[in-house]
Amino acid sequence: MPEAKSLRARVFNVPFGHDICDATVAFVLGEAENRVTSVAETTLFLPNNRAVKAMTEAFVRIAAPGLLLPRMVAIGDLALDEAVGPILDPLQGDAVIWPAINPVKRLLIMAELVVKHRNMAQQVSATEALQLARKLNELIDELEIENVPFKQFSEISVAAELAGHWQQSYGQLMDIIPGYYERLDQLELLGPSDRRNALLARLDERLKVATPNERFVAAGITTAAPAIARILRRISKLAGGSVILHGVDLDMPDAQWEALGPQTSTEPAARTGRNQEAHPQFHLKLLLDRMGIARDEVQIAPDLTVDRHNTQVADIFCLPPDTTKWRELPRTHKQLSNVQLVETVDSSEEARVIAIAMRGALEVPGQRTALVTPDRELATRVAAQLRRWSIGVDDSAGIAALQTPPGKLLMAIAEAAADNFSPVSVLAIAKHPLVHAGEGRLEWLEHVRALDMRLRGPSRGIGLAAIATAIRKKTSDDDALEPWWQIFSDILMPLQAAAGQSFAAAMASIQHVADVLTAGNIWKGSAGREIVTLWDEIGACDLSVIGSGDRAAIPALLAELFGNRVVRPPYGGHPRLAIYGLLEARMQQADFVICAGLNETTWPQFAQPDPWLAPAIRRHLGLATLDRNIGLSAHDLATALGAARVLLTRSRRDRGGPTVASRFVLRMKAFLGEDLIVDTAYAKLAARIDLPTQKVPLASRPEPRPSADHRRVVLSVTDFDQLKSDPFSFYAKRILGLRILEPVNADPGYAWRGTLVHDVLELWFKEDDCAPEALLARAESLLTNTALDPTLRALWQPRIAAGLRWIAEETQRMHNDGRRFLVAEETGRMELLGVKIKGRADRIDCLPDDRLVIVDYKTGVPPKPKQINAGFALQLGLIGLMAEAGSIEKVAGKPGRFEYWSLAKNKARGVGFIASPNAKKSSDRLSDPDDFLAFVRTQAAEAIRNWIVGDAAFVAKLHPDFANYEDYNHLMRLQEWDGRQPIDDGHGT
């Protein structure tokens, strides 16, 4: 049936404050007069599949039991990678429309073209090629959506006026885009937007012959694409057709409405004024203009009223020139009694505030509450906070596929391949909950824990072989660890080889490893099925364009290929609580709406700049500018402000640092002034929610007194300094046996550096006979030893090498003066007051007069005279006592000198100097070696008498000036009793 020219357009508006789904359901039932058959024969056009789900829920919630639902058709949302609904895409038709190209295949084809043409000017990596290809696909979609033909695109005269890099990009486009369409023709495929245009054109032809009895309703569609605007116009002119829009400001002054500019499909190059696209009504004005519908033709949907706050909301989001009129408005007009604002210290507190607000809302019978935020991390935190009350609520925007448990395992395997199986990456795989789940999981985790203990501290190598070496070198009670590791490493070994071959080989190997480790369970469940579908799509494509050999790029390439693929949550969340992204919220309204994450770059989110087209060309073609997304975000917030109760939240800091309040919040503050309701109650509750019910008394200074049997431990010469200055730390370490665990793959610290130097010097003494050139060779080898930590080689190697050269030169000089070298890294033992003492001498030399020289190597600064005189540096003296007693093999004689050989910087001579604990400047009474030995013996005996054979308490930080041991500060609860520490008891400082 031809379109009736005289028929008034049936375009309706759902004002702010009303749920468009509920309003649409009421409209459809009213039009059908509640006749079941009429409802079932109605075709309902919706923007996307999320809207179909929301509309279905609205029919179930509102309609009578047993009502047949209308046919719901999604027109396809390219922003969500959605295709048109099956009703619009029949299997057979009068004219064959080629299928749409697979998104992954399209991305790889475009990446190949980018590499081919971009490399003429500059080299691009595979990751950069995929990123540029994705942006170029988005640009082509924009051109096709806006019906901009390539001829018009290629005849732009403004290109000559652009900067050099924009001209270069434009020139590359002239080669890439024709090549892209040529490839599609060869494959007999269409781009997604081009195919949607073809299907919508077919629908338009179908609607031309619709009968008056056929009912069509288009609801919630706000995209202004010309093809969709044409369909909406056609539906609005049908006898049985209606278009329902959401949030059109019918009360906006005509001058302000017209200031948004004439936006017609016949003026693709129309220039828009500054900030027009950032206005929340811009996209609706553009849609109505392209539909050929005047605003006064739009009617309010039946039985709905305009919210009393509609005018205030419109004034808040007005164009910048109109903000000058705010001063003329009466104070009674500048009020929003339904809106409250909460500003929190950080995003963690913001999540607690929101969770408390949502929990409190459940106390109101029948009230629906929705959290609306584009910040997916914040949404996850809120969902986690709600679980403290056993409330389950899912984020309807879904979760990125690579952030699901199966996705994280795949990324962990990819990252392990990328960094050549570092200890951290291997443990991340082994500990993943999907790995070896089910029967035998406990036994598996026992081996993983044993492996974790073996890999603590800095790594001495890379690759699976280095981990195997670390397992063999260290002792453990787990005798089964080595065979278990052999099985585990055999599974990972093929990936180590494949990662350096090609990306296709790496992908196949990652899939195989994940499948074996999880017994196929990784591909189960909603997330697993979504991932395996995309994985198969990737595997079916030609991945040769990505290249090979760069194992470090594997995780980034995998992330690019997965793109924005998300996994939707299953049903089962709380019936009156919901978490929405901005897209989901456009089709749903709640009684209590919480708008969260109101910071710049979060809400509004900024679109990334186009790397291909200069802004001037985009404006010339009539494409959206970066401000278009701001306008959509503004409309989303304006829609939410119509709820009966609204809570706005933002945090002053997030994980990236200080934040800037959203421009929308700043506008509201400027407009409402002192009448903006700032809530403090939620923040107070959030601050107290995790506090104990009663004040916990602060701990006192610990003074443990173990039994005599527990005190009798074998002492090391290095224990005495800790025993005397901080007895509690000694108690925790030696009596309780609490060993400090270093992080896995820890950064090399001073202890690690010292161990390395001692190992080199020991080998130099025992294998090279202290030949200077041999030590220099060992020092230089540190430069090329790839088994050492890169940080150590890059930052410490020059200093260590310089120090070792100094030791070689100084040793040679002393040798020339008659000094002989006796032992290095030799162990000695002695008893004092019946207590066994052990120690290792770094080096002992012999002077020409047969007196011994006790040497202690220090990679840092040696003890200060004050520390030595107070008796808190006894190691050298105790080694001297052992040497004097003949307790060190191959050593006999009387100590005559004690030396610290420090590799620290020396202002006069660069690196390296020698200091003596019994130098005259230290103390006259200790300058004589015999006096120094007697002093050391007295100090050691006193310590043994007090704490080992006596009953003295092991007081924490007994001598804090010399207690530089921090490993057990948390155990002694130092902050609670030490007056020099800040105290926080949970109730404030």
Coordinates of all heavy atoms in Angstrom, one line a residue, residues 557-600:
L557 N 49.0 -8.8 20.8 CA 48.3 -9.3 19.6 C 47.0 -10.0 19.9 O 46.0 -9.8 19.3 CB 49.2 -10.2 18.8 CG 50.5 -9.5 18.1 CD1 51.4 -10.5 17.5 CD2 50.0 -8.5 17.1
L558 N 47.1 -10.9 20.9 CA 45.9 -11.6 21.3 C 44.8 -10.7 21.8 O 43.6 -10.8 21.5 CB 46.3 -12.6 22.4 CG 45.2 -13.6 22.9 CD1 44.7 -14.4 21.7 CD2 45.7 -14.5 24.0
A559 N 45.2 -9.7 22.6 CA 44.2 -8.7 23.1 C 43.6 -7.9 21.9 O 42.4 -7.6 21.9 CB 44.9 -7.7 24.1
E560 N 44.4 -7.6 20.9 CA 43.9 -6.8 19.8 C 42.9 -7.7 19.0 O 41.8 -7.2 18.5 CB 45.0 -6.4 18.9 CG 45.8 -5.2 19.4 CD 44.9 -4.0 19.5 OE1 44.0 -3.7 18.7 OE2 45.1 -3.2 20.5
L561 N 43.2 -9.0 18.8 CA 42.3 -9.8 18.1 C 41.0 -10.1 18.8 O 39.9 -10.2 18.2 CB 43.0 -11.2 17.7 CG 44.1 -11.1 16.7 CD1 44.8 -12.4 16.6 CD2 43.6 -10.7 15.4
F562 N 41.0 -10.1 20.1 CA 39.8 -10.3 20.9 C 39.0 -9.0 20.9 O 37.8 -9.1 21.1 CB 40.1 -10.8 22.3 CG 40.1 -12.3 22.4 CD1 41.1 -13.0 22.0 CD2 39.0 -12.9 23.1 CE1 41.1 -14.4 22.1 CE2 39.0 -14.3 23.2 CZ 40.1 -15.0 22.7
G563 N 39.7 -7.9 20.8 CA 38.9 -6.6 20.7 C 38.1 -6.4 21.9 O 38.4 -6.5 23.0
N564 N 36.8 -6.0 21.6 CA 35.8 -5.6 22.6 C 34.9 -6.8 22.9 O 33.8 -6.5 23.4 CB 35.1 -4.4 22.2 CG 36.0 -3.2 22.1 OD1 36.9 -3.0 22.8 ND2 35.7 -2.3 21.1
R565 N 35.2 -8.0 22.6 CA 34.3 -9.1 22.8 C 34.0 -9.3 24.3 O 35.0 -9.4 25.1 CB 34.9 -10.4 22.2 CG 34.0 -11.6 22.2 CD 32.8 -11.4 21.2 NE 33.3 -11.3 19.8 CZ 33.3 -12.4 19.0 NH1 32.9 -13.5 19.4 NH2 33.7 -12.3 17.8
V566 N 32.8 -9.3 24.6 CA 32.4 -9.4 26.0 C 31.5 -10.6 26.2 O 31.0 -11.2 25.3 CB 31.7 -8.2 26.5 CG1 32.5 -6.9 26.4 CG2 30.4 -8.0 25.8
V567 N 31.5 -11.1 27.5 CA 30.6 -12.2 27.9 C 29.5 -11.6 28.8 O 29.7 -11.0 29.8 CB 31.4 -13.2 28.7 CG1 30.5 -14.4 29.1 CG2 32.6 -13.8 27.8
R568 N 28.3 -11.9 28.4 CA 27.1 -11.4 29.1 C 26.8 -12.3 30.3 O 27.0 -13.5 30.2 CB 25.8 -11.4 28.2 CG 26.0 -10.6 27.0 CD 26.2 -9.1 27.2 NE 26.6 -8.4 26.0 CZ 27.2 -7.3 26.0 NH1 27.6 -6.7 27.1 NH2 27.5 -6.7 24.9
P569 N 26.4 -11.7 31.4 CA 26.1 -12.5 32.6 C 24.8 -13.3 32.4 O 23.9 -12.9 31.7 CB 25.9 -11.5 33.7 CG 25.5 -10.2 33.0 CD 26.2 -10.3 31.7
P570 N 24.7 -14.5 33.0 CA 23.5 -15.3 33.0 C 22.5 -14.6 33.9 O 22.7 -13.8 34.7 CB 23.9 -16.6 33.5 CG 25.1 -16.3 34.4 CD 25.8 -15.2 33.8
Y571 N 21.2 -15.1 33.7 CA 20.2 -14.6 34.6 C 20.4 -15.2 36.0 O 21.1 -16.1 36.3 CB 18.8 -15.1 34.1 CG 18.3 -14.5 32.9 CD1 18.6 -15.1 31.6 CD2 17.7 -13.3 32.9 CE1 18.2 -14.5 30.4 CE2 17.3 -12.7 31.7 CZ 17.5 -13.3 30.5 OH 17.1 -12.6 29.3
G572 N 19.8 -14.5 37.0 CA 19.9 -15.0 38.4 C 20.3 -13.9 39.4 O 20.4 -14.3 40.6
G573 N 20.5 -12.7 39.0 CA 20.8 -11.6 39.9 C 19.6 -11.2 40.7 O 18.5 -11.7 40.5
H574 N 19.8 -10.3 41.6 CA 18.7 -9.8 42.5 C 17.6 -9.1 41.6 O 17.9 -8.3 40.7 CB 19.2 -8.8 43.5 CG 18.3 -8.5 44.6 ND1 17.2 -7.7 44.5 CD2 18.3 -9.0 45.9 CE1 16.6 -7.7 45.7 NE2 17.2 -8.5 46.6
P575 N 16.4 -9.4 41.9 CA 15.3 -8.9 41.0 C 15.1 -7.4 41.1 O 14.5 -6.8 40.2 CB 14.0 -9.6 41.5 CG 14.4 -10.0 42.9 CD 15.8 -10.3 42.9
R576 N 15.5 -6.7 42.2 CA 15.3 -5.3 42.3 C 16.6 -4.5 42.3 O 16.6 -3.3 42.5 CB 14.6 -5.0 43.6 CG 13.1 -5.6 43.6 CD 12.3 -4.9 44.7 NE 12.6 -5.4 46.0 CZ 13.0 -4.6 47.0 NH1 13.0 -3.3 46.8 NH2 13.2 -5.1 48.2
L577 N 17.7 -5.1 42.0 CA 19.0 -4.4 41.9 C 19.6 -4.7 40.5 O 19.5 -5.8 40.0 CB 20.0 -4.8 42.9 CG 19.6 -4.5 44.4 CD1 20.8 -5.0 45.3 CD2 19.4 -3.0 44.6
A578 N 20.2 -3.7 39.9 CA 20.8 -3.9 38.6 C 22.0 -3.0 38.5 O 22.1 -1.9 39.1 CB 19.8 -3.6 37.5
I579 N 23.0 -3.4 37.7 CA 24.2 -2.6 37.3 C 24.2 -2.5 35.8 O 24.2 -3.5 35.1 CB 25.5 -3.2 37.8 CG1 25.5 -3.4 39.3 CG2 26.7 -2.4 37.3 CD1 26.7 -4.0 39.9
Y580 N 24.1 -1.3 35.3 CA 24.0 -1.0 33.9 C 25.2 -0.2 33.4 O 25.8 0.6 34.1 CB 22.8 -0.2 33.5 CG 21.4 -0.9 33.8 CD1 20.4 -0.2 34.4 CD2 21.2 -2.2 33.6 CE1 19.2 -0.7 34.7 CE2 20.0 -2.8 33.9 CZ 19.0 -2.1 34.5 OH 17.8 -2.7 34.8
G581 N 25.6 -0.5 32.1 CA 26.5 0.4 31.4 C 25.6 1.5 30.8 O 24.3 1.4 30.9
L582 N 26.2 2.4 30.1 CA 25.4 3.5 29.6 C 24.4 3.0 28.5 O 23.3 3.5 28.4 CB 26.3 4.6 29.0 CG 27.2 5.3 30.0 CD1 27.9 6.5 29.4 CD2 26.5 5.8 31.3
L583 N 24.8 2.1 27.7 CA 24.0 1.6 26.7 C 22.7 0.9 27.2 O 21.6 1.0 26.8 CB 24.8 0.6 25.7 CG 25.7 1.3 24.8 CD1 26.6 0.2 24.1 CD2 25.0 2.2 23.8
E584 N 23.0 0.0 28.3 CA 21.8 -0.7 28.9 C 20.9 0.3 29.6 O 19.7 0.1 29.5 CB 22.4 -1.7 29.9 CG 23.1 -2.9 29.4 CD 24.5 -2.5 29.0 OE1 25.1 -1.5 29.5 OE2 25.1 -3.2 28.1
A585 N 21.4 1.4 30.2 CA 20.6 2.3 30.9 C 19.7 3.1 30.0 O 18.6 3.6 30.4 CB 21.4 3.2 31.7
R586 N 20.0 3.2 28.7 CA 19.2 4.0 27.8 C 17.8 3.4 27.6 O 16.9 4.1 27.2 CB 19.9 4.1 26.4 CG 21.1 5.0 26.5 CD 21.9 5.0 25.2 NE 23.2 5.7 25.3 CZ 24.1 5.7 24.4 NH1 24.0 5.0 23.3 NH2 25.3 6.3 24.7
M587 N 17.7 2.1 27.8 CA 16.4 1.5 27.6 C 15.7 1.1 28.9 O 14.6 0.5 28.9 CB 16.6 0.2 26.8 CG 17.0 0.4 25.4 SD 15.7 1.3 24.4 CE 14.4 0.2 24.4
Q588 N 16.2 1.6 30.1 CA 15.6 1.2 31.3 C 15.7 2.3 32.4 O 16.7 3.1 32.3 CB 16.3 -0.1 31.9 CG 16.2 -1.3 31.0 CD 17.1 -2.5 31.4 OE1 16.6 -3.4 32.0 NE2 18.3 -2.4 31.0
Q589 N 14.8 2.4 33.2 CA 14.7 3.4 34.3 C 14.4 2.7 35.6 O 13.7 1.6 35.6 CB 13.7 4.5 34.0 CG 13.7 5.6 34.9 CD 14.9 6.5 34.9 OE1 16.0 6.1 35.4 NE2 14.8 7.6 34.2
A590 N 14.9 3.2 36.7 CA 14.6 2.7 38.0 C 14.1 3.7 38.9 O 14.1 4.9 38.6 CB 15.8 2.0 38.6
D591 N 13.5 3.3 40.1 CA 13.0 4.3 41.0 C 14.2 5.1 41.7 O 14.1 6.3 41.9 CB 12.2 3.6 42.1 CG 11.1 2.8 41.5 OD1 10.3 3.4 40.8 OD2 11.1 1.5 41.8
F592 N 15.3 4.3 42.0 CA 16.5 4.9 42.6 C 17.6 4.7 41.6 O 18.0 3.5 41.4 CB 16.7 4.3 43.9 CG 17.9 4.8 44.7 CD1 18.5 6.1 44.4 CD2 18.6 4.0 45.6 CE1 19.6 6.6 45.1 CE2 19.7 4.5 46.3 CZ 20.2 5.8 46.0
V593 N 18.2 5.7 41.1 CA 19.3 5.6 40.1 C 20.6 6.2 40.7 O 20.6 7.3 41.2 CB 19.0 6.3 38.8 CG1 20.2 6.2 37.9 CG2 17.8 5.7 38.1
I594 N 21.7 5.4 40.7 CA 23.0 5.8 41.2 C 23.9 6.0 39.9 O 24.1 5.0 39.2 CB 23.6 4.8 42.2 CG1 22.6 4.6 43.3 CG2 24.9 5.3 42.6 CD1 23.1 3.5 44.2
C595 N 24.3 7.2 39.7 CA 25.2 7.5 38.6 C 26.6 7.7 39.1 O 26.9 8.6 39.9 CB 24.8 8.8 37.8 SG 23.1 8.7 37.1
A596 N 27.5 6.7 38.8 CA 28.8 6.7 39.4 C 29.9 6.9 38.4 O 29.7 6.7 37.2 CB 28.9 5.3 40.1
G597 N 31.1 7.2 39.0 CA 32.2 7.4 38.1 C 32.2 8.7 37.4 O 32.7 8.8 36.2
L598 N 31.6 9.8 38.0 CA 31.4 11.0 37.3 C 32.7 11.9 37.3 O 32.8 12.9 38.0 CB 30.3 11.8 37.9 CG 28.9 11.3 37.5 CD1 27.8 11.8 38.4 CD2 28.6 11.7 36.1
N599 N 33.7 11.4 36.6 CA 35.0 12.1 36.4 C 35.3 12.2 34.9 O 34.8 11.4 34.1 CB 36.1 11.3 37.1 CG 36.0 11.3 38.6 OD1 35.7 12.4 39.2 ND2 36.3 10.2 39.3
E600 N 36.1 13.2 34.6 CA 36.5 13.4 33.2 C 37.2 12.1 32.7 O 38.0 11.5 33.5 CB 37.4 14.6 33.1 CG 36.6 15.9 33.2 CD 35.7 16.1 32.0 OE1 36.2 16.4 30.9 OE2 34.4 16.1 32.2

